[in-house]
Every structure is written in C-alpha cells, then in structure tokens.
Amino acid sequence: MSFDLRAFPMGSVDESKVPLLSVIIPTFNERENMPIIIPKIAQVLGDSSVPHEIIVMDDDSPDGTSEAVGEVQKEIPQARCVVRKTDKGLSPAVIQGYKEAKGDIHLVMDADLSHPVEVLPKMYNAIVKDGADVVVGSRHTTGGGIENWPFMRRFISWGAAMMARPLTPCSDPMSGFFAIRPKVIDGAPLKAKGYKILLEVLVKGKYDKVSEVPITFKDRELGESKLGSKVMVNYIQHLIQLYLFPGSAPLIKFLFVGGTGMLIDLGVISLLLFLLGDNNFDLLGMEGLKYVYLYQAGSFLAAVTWNFFWNRYWTFNARKGSKSSQYTKFFVVAIIAFCVRTALMYVGVDVIGLNGEPWYQVILIGVIFIVTVINYLGSKLWAFKK
Ligand code: GDD
Ligand code: MN
C-alpha cells in the first residue's frame, strides 16, 4: 500500500485525494497489546477505505514494545514505532507524535483496547464529512459509558470532568481518545505537563466545531495502568494553569476583572475626594455637585480602562485586534450599560417606588445582573470579536 502524503486543501472532497488519517498511540510497556490493536486498526480502517498510518510513540519500554511493533510491521507496513529516550511521559509522547504524523487528521488513542477501534471511521467522518475540527470519543455524551467501573471511580471521573466544564464545550475533556485537524494546534503553546492532552488542546487550540462520538470505555485486560494517584494532584495543577491561560473560561475571568474594576472605581473616587477635599461635596450649590460628577467620571474612566486592558489580554486574549477600535467599542458598551443602569434604577426606585428594605436590594441585584450581561455580551460579541 502507498499513500499520497501531500496536505489536502481543507474541506476537499476530491475523491482521488482522500484525507490521510494518522493514528498516534502513546505506549509504555504495551508489548502484549501491539499484535492485537495494530491489526485491528488496520482492518477497521481498511474495511472503510480510510487511508492511514499508525505511529506508536514508545518511551523506550523495557518490555520490548518497539520490537513487537517491528514484528507487526512486517504484515502492516503503514505501522511504525518511534522510540523516545528523552522527555518521557504521556503528553510529551503525544505532542511529539503530532510532529511525526504526516496525515490530514491526527487521532490519539490508548494502546490497551480501552478505546473501541470500531468507531475510528465514524470519528474520521465527523471531521472529513461533517466538518468538525475536533472529534472526541466521549464517555459522557448520550450513548457513551464506562464498563465495569465501581461507583466511586465513576464519581471521581465525573467530578474531575465537571471541574473542567467551564474551560471547554466538550462533555468529556479528559478523554484520551480524540482526533483533530493539525491546524487546530498550529502555533498553540501546548505544555506537556498534564496527562490531559485533550484539555490542553481544547483550551489552547483554534477551532470552530467540536463533535463527540459516544464510546464505552473498557478497562484494560493486558498490561498495567500507568496513571496512578499522583495524577489527581497533577490534574489540579494543570487545571489551575488552564484557568489562568489567556482566553479560557472568559465569563469567569470577566466577572473577576469586573470585581477588580469596582475596587479601582471606589479607590480612585476615594483618592480624589481625599486629595481634592470633600468640602465641595458638602456644598449645596451647583458647583459642589459638578465636582462630584467630575470625580465620578474620572473613576469611571479609570475603571473602564483597567477593565479594558485585563479583558483584552486575559479574558478574551484579543491582542491581535486593533487596540484603539477595541477600546472605543468597549467604552461605548460601558456607557450604554451605565445609562441602562441609571435608567432602570430611576424607574425602579423613583417611579415605581421600590425603595423599601428588601426591594431596593432586590432591584439593585437585578439591575447589576442585567448590566453585567450587557457588558459581557457587548465585549465578547462586539468589542473583542475575533
Ligand atoms: N509514551 C508514553 N509514555 N505512553 C504512556 C505513558 C508514558 O509515560 N504512560 C501511559 N502511556 C500510554 C499507555 O501505554 C496507554 O497506551 C495510554 O498511555 C493510557 O495509559 P493507561 O495506563 O492505560 O491509562 P488509563 O487507562 O489509566 O487512562 C486512560 O483513560 C483516562 C480516562 O479514564 C487514558 O486514556 C487517559 O488519557 C484518560 O484520561
Ligand atoms: Mn488504560
């Protein structure tokens, strides 16, 4: 068999250039599984006429995994083993696998048959035919599941997935079974620290459409699991890094930045009152009032500017857009939100007369909520739109 290894234009349906699938399998001590999984992949993909290469990324396993691949390769020449002697670990192996892969679609799966080989054509088609950029073999989508896991393990797995939920649009971001178009991670600063390479890809990659294919995860029958108790601590550290990464979980960041902005607002107005004196404040004449408005305008400007910089860089990671146009739009949104706030408070308190004990607070919270929604959507969909 020989394959055309040229890169195909995106979305090409030219029958003579069927996109090539690179199956990347990270391994450590998986000798026994090699003669089972590799022929199975070749058979399933062959039956569906999917051109493919199989790359085993082995961390110099002492059990002879690479020799086992060498044996299988005699029958299945599109399989090969890359032996890695430095920078060992699951995620670095996958990241190096992406560099070795020559296909138009890069798929990662475990060696131990936990991931059902039968769904490979379906995952391939989700990208080639349905235009997904990322497709995940998912345990948590309808129809997916985990075989023979005790309640506690299921619960921990579910909890761990929930903690990552705001970071991604995927129900199973911890899956080790997924495929991408290479452009998704082109230039992405992937770090190999965590075991959850998919999470890393989903947070740092560029993509529009994520699809999920339901899978039933089976525990391995041969060999041993390598991911033990240290994994949990490592996972939490990884999550913290990903939550801090510019552009991830923008709503959470936006709310946090907004909170700091309120402190700036309060701080600046207090400072102005302290420096310029509050005697103007006490005056009943028009002049005194004007000063207070001036202070408020100053602190508003300071807070909006503060929010702008953090939101631009951190919340939305929108440094590529024009700064002045983003700032103008962000400012317009803030002014609109401010006017809406003033108008709603006026209607609620002065017109309807909701100024009694619980009602004033209730309406204030409601108005803050509405204004936050306006600010967030205006920022996300307009000011910092990519
Ligand atoms: N190259 C390399 N280096 N491969 C490794 C290493 C390593 O240090 N550690 C593990 N692997 C390979 C294994 O040989 C196997 O093919 C795959 O990575 C998964 O390792 P397992 O030891 O079978 O992990 P698991 O079954 O506990 O975890 C799997 O399921 C999780 C979801 O429950 C993995 O798929 C995880 O990614 C997944 O999150
Ligand atoms: Mn496993």
Side-chain angles (χ1 to χ4, degrees):
M1 254 188 286
S2 81
F3 300 115
D4 186 349
L5 296 184
R6 276 174 298 160
F8 303 103
M10 218 60 80
S12 158
V13 276
D14 185 345
E15 289 292 305
S16 64
K17 291 177 183 170
V18 185
L20 177 74
L21 175 66
S22 299
V23 179
I24 299 163
I25 309 177
T27 58
F28 188 69
N29 287 346
E30 302 283 3
R31 184 194 66 231
E32 295 154 297
N33 286 312
M34 293 299 99
I36 308 174
I37 191 162
I38 295 172
K40 199 161 178 190
I41 293 170
Q43 191 204 329
V44 168
L45 293 176
D47 287 351
S48 300
S49 310
V50 175
H52 60 278
E53 58 172 355
I54 301 170
I55 311 168
V56 174
M57 299 301 299
D58 183 56
D59 280 11
D60 204 12
S61 301
D63 77 340
T65 301
S66 65
E67 288 81 0
V69 178
E71 275 304 307
V72 181
Q73 195 172 6
K74 291 176 187 160
E75 302 294 320
I76 300 167
Q78 70 271 32
R80 66 179 193 272
C81 185
V82 175
V83 178
R84 310 174 63 250
K85 301 206 165 156
T86 55
D87 191 21
K88 293 190 180 178
L90 176 50
S91 290
V94 172
I95 292 171
Q96 193 189 337
Y98 284 140
K99 293 182 186 132
E100 298 283 336
K102 298 187 183 72
D104 307 287
I105 296 160
H106 295 174
L107 181 140
V108 179
M109 69 188 301
D110 292 353
D112 58 1
L113 300 159
S114 287
H115 298 146
V117 177
E118 296 74 26
V119 302
L120 288 181
K122 205 170 170 187
M123 292 174 75
Y124 175 82
N125 283 332
I127 293 186
V128 173
K129 298 220 169 91
D130 304 338
D133 302 299
V134 180
V135 54
V136 178
S138 169
R139 298 162 295 178
H140 302 312
T141 193
T142 330
I146 301 162
E147 215 168 69
N148 297 329
W149 269 20
F151 174 78
M152 215 37 212
R153 198 160 164 207
R154 253 174 232 265
F155 179 75
I156 291 171
S157 164
W158 175 84
M162 284 316 282
M163 288 196 276
R165 208 65 190 88
L167 289 170
T168 84
C170 172
S171 76
D172 192 2
M174 337 264 298
S175 177
F177 190 22
F178 63 98
I180 59 170
R181 285 187 183 277
K183 63 157 190 188
V184 169
I185 52 165
D186 198 19
L190 297 185
K191 281 222 184 90
K193 190 179 179 322
Y195 291 92
K196 306 301 171 187
I197 187 72
L198 172 58
L199 247 186
E200 188 77 13
V201 168
L202 287 171
V203 170
K204 299 182 179 174
K206 286 191 249 20
Y207 52 87
D208 294 317
K209 187 174 170 194
V210 179
S211 292
E212 297 188 29
V213 171
I215 62 153
T216 300
F217 184 94
K218 284 200 201 80
D219 266 334
R220 62 164 72 237
E221 282 168 16
L222 300 171
E224 267 171 42
S225 171
K226 286 97 206 166
L227 309 186
S229 56
K230 258 195 283 171
V231 170
M232 210 54 203
V233 177
N234 180 296
Y235 176 61
I236 303 285
Q237 290 172 339
H238 191 199
L239 272 188
I240 293 172
Q241 283 177 9
L242 293 178
Y243 271 103
L244 293 176
F245 187 76
S248 72
L251 179 56
I252 296 174
K253 289 193 172 88
F254 188 83
L255 294 175
F256 180 77
V257 169
T260 63
M262 275 154 95
L263 296 180
I264 295 284
D265 201 335
L266 205 71
V268 169
I269 200 153
S270 310
L271 193 72
L272 289 174
L273 282 168
F274 173 75
L275 291 179
L276 305 175
D278 63 352
N279 47 348
N280 297 313
F281 205 58
D282 291 333
L283 287 178
L284 291 169
M286 286 307 285
E287 244 183 32
L289 269 173
K290 269 188 212 145
Y291 278 115
V292 176
Y293 282 136
L294 224 56
Y295 294 174
Q296 278 180 354
S299 67
F300 180 78
L301 191 70
V304 169
T305 306
W306 165 271
N307 287 357
F308 172 78
F309 280 104
W310 285 100
N311 284 330
R312 179 171 189 264
Y313 166 73
W314 194 52
T315 309
F316 297 108
N317 189 18
R319 272 174 300 172
K320 286 200 182 118
S322 144
K323 199 188 267 176
S324 54
S325 126
Q326 288 171 335
Y327 187 74
T328 311
K329 290 174 181 168
F330 187 73
F331 202 84
V332 168
V333 173
I335 296 278
I336 291 171
F338 179 78
C339 294
V340 169
R341 179 190 166 135
T342 310
L344 287 178
M345 285 311 284
Y346 174 75
V347 171
V349 177
D350 295 325
V351 179
I352 306 177
L354 297 172
N355 43 17
E357 244 310 304
W359 293 113
Y360 181 80
Q361 281 81 355
V362 169
I363 193 151
L364 186 64
I365 289 169
V367 167
I368 288 176
F369 177 79
I370 292 168
V371 165
T372 305
V373 170
I374 294 174
N375 267 320
Y376 181 68
L377 293 180
S379 302
K380 187 181 160 86
L381 304 176
W382 189 48
F384 297 112
K385 190 175 190 309
K386 283 175 204 167

